[in-house]
Amino acid sequence: MPSPFDPNTQNHLTESKIVVALERIAEAFRVLLWNESKAYNLSTIQIQLLIFLAYHDQAKCSVSYLAREFNMTKPTISDSIKVLKEKKLVEKHDNPADSRSYTIKLTAKGHNIATHAAAFSTAIETPLSKLPDNQKQAMLSGLTSLIYDLNRNGIITVQRMCYTCSHYRATEGKHYCSLINAQLTTGQIRLDCPEHASVV
Ligand code: SF4
C-alpha cells in the first residue's frame, strides 16, 4: 500500500508532502515542549495543562473537560493535577455546578510558569509571521478544514472552532457568525473561541 512516508509516493503527491510536513511540525512542538518541561522539572502534559488553565475560563478547568481536551483518561489527568498541586502550581476549588467534582485554578506561581512556558510557540509563530498574508490565509483555511475532518472522524475530540459552532453559518462560500451578526473573513475563522456553542 502506498505510504506518504515512502519518498517514491511522497514526491508525486502534494497531500503526502503535507502529511510529512505536519509530522515534522508536530515533532517541533514535541521538542519545544520537552525543553520547557525539563526547564521546570515537569512532564510535557503538565506544562500543557498549566498553559490551558492560564488561558481558559473556569468552566473548562475540570478533570473531565481536560481529559477530553487532551484525549487522555480522567485518571491520567488526575495524576498530573495531583503532582501540580503538590508543587503548589494549582489549587482545587469546589465546583458550584456539581458538588461531586471540582475545578482547577492556577496559583500565582503556576500562572507565572504557564505564561513563560507558553512562549515556546514563538519559535513557530515568528517564521509564520514573515509569510505574505495570502499564504497565511491559505494555510489557516487548509488547516481548519483538516481539523474539522479529523474532529468529525472522531480522531480529535473537543473543538471550539467556528465550523463546529451552532452560531456558524456558511452561505455561498461566505462564513457568518450569528452571535455577533457579522460575516467572517477566512482570517477571522476561530479555532478556540470563548463563545463557541457546540452543535447539539
Ligand atoms: S461564536 Fe465564535 S466559534 Fe461560534 S461562529 Fe461565532 S466566532 Fe465562530
Side-chain angles (χ1 to χ4, degrees):
M1 187 177 165
S3 163
F5 302 108
D6 175 352
N8 292 322
T9 309
Q10 187 193 112
N11 291 338
H12 295 102
L13 284 174
T14 306
E15 53 269 38
S16 295
K17 287 182 205 164
I18 295 172
V19 167
V20 173
L22 288 172
E23 199 214 13
R24 292 197 183 150
I25 291 163
E27 183 67 10
F29 270 96
R30 200 188 63 74
V31 168
L32 291 164
L33 268 169
W34 177 242
N35 290 342
E36 293 303 321
S37 68
K38 273 194 298 185
Y40 295 106
N41 200 20
L42 295 167
S43 68
T44 52
I45 182 60
Q46 287 159 5
I47 288 285
Q48 286 176 289
L49 289 171
L50 291 180
I51 294 172
F52 183 89
L53 294 170
Y55 298 111
H56 293 85
D57 63 56
Q58 208 52 30
K60 299 183 179 77
C61 299
S62 67
V63 168
S64 310
Y65 196 98
L66 293 168
R68 278 185 287 123
E69 175 76 21
F70 291 99
N71 295 293
M72 288 185 167
T73 63
K74 285 199 259 184
T76 306
I77 296 291
S78 291
D79 286 349
S80 285
I81 296 296
K82 192 168 161 225
V83 173
L84 293 173
K85 191 167 175 287
E86 282 164 5
K87 292 184 179 238
K88 302 198 183 325
L89 302 179
V90 301
E91 291 166 345
K92 291 181 181 178
H93 288 254
D94 289 340
N95 184 350
D98 180 0
S99 58
R100 291 161 306 171
S101 69
Y102 58 87
T103 59
I104 304 135
K105 250 188 181 159
L106 291 176
T107 60
K109 187 178 167 194
H111 193 268
N112 192 31
I113 290 180
T115 49
H116 278 92
F120 83 86
S121 61
T122 311
I124 294 169
E125 201 169 6
T126 302
L128 286 172
S129 71
K130 294 177 188 152
L131 294 175
D133 236 29
N134 60 343
Q135 268 189 42
K136 283 191 264 189
Q137 306 266 342
M139 274 180 88
L140 179 63
S141 177
L143 289 170
T144 47
S145 299
L146 174 61
I147 293 165
Y148 179 58
D149 263 25
L150 292 172
N151 176 243
R152 284 208 317 177
N153 291 327
I155 296 164
I156 45 176
T157 51
V158 184
Q159 290 305 316
R160 294 175 293 275
M161 67 193 306
C162 290
Y163 298 160
T164 62
C165 178
S166 59
H167 300 300
Y168 175 76
R169 309 273 178 277
T171 37
E172 293 166 5
K174 294 198 166 60
H175 313 287
Y176 188 80
C177 171
S178 63
L179 184 72
I180 56 170
N181 217 5
Q183 196 175 310
L184 304 170
T185 63
T186 303
Q188 287 171 325
I189 289 290
R190 293 187 177 193
L191 279 169
D192 192 357
C193 175
E195 276 77 46
H196 178 273
S198 298
V199 179
V200 279

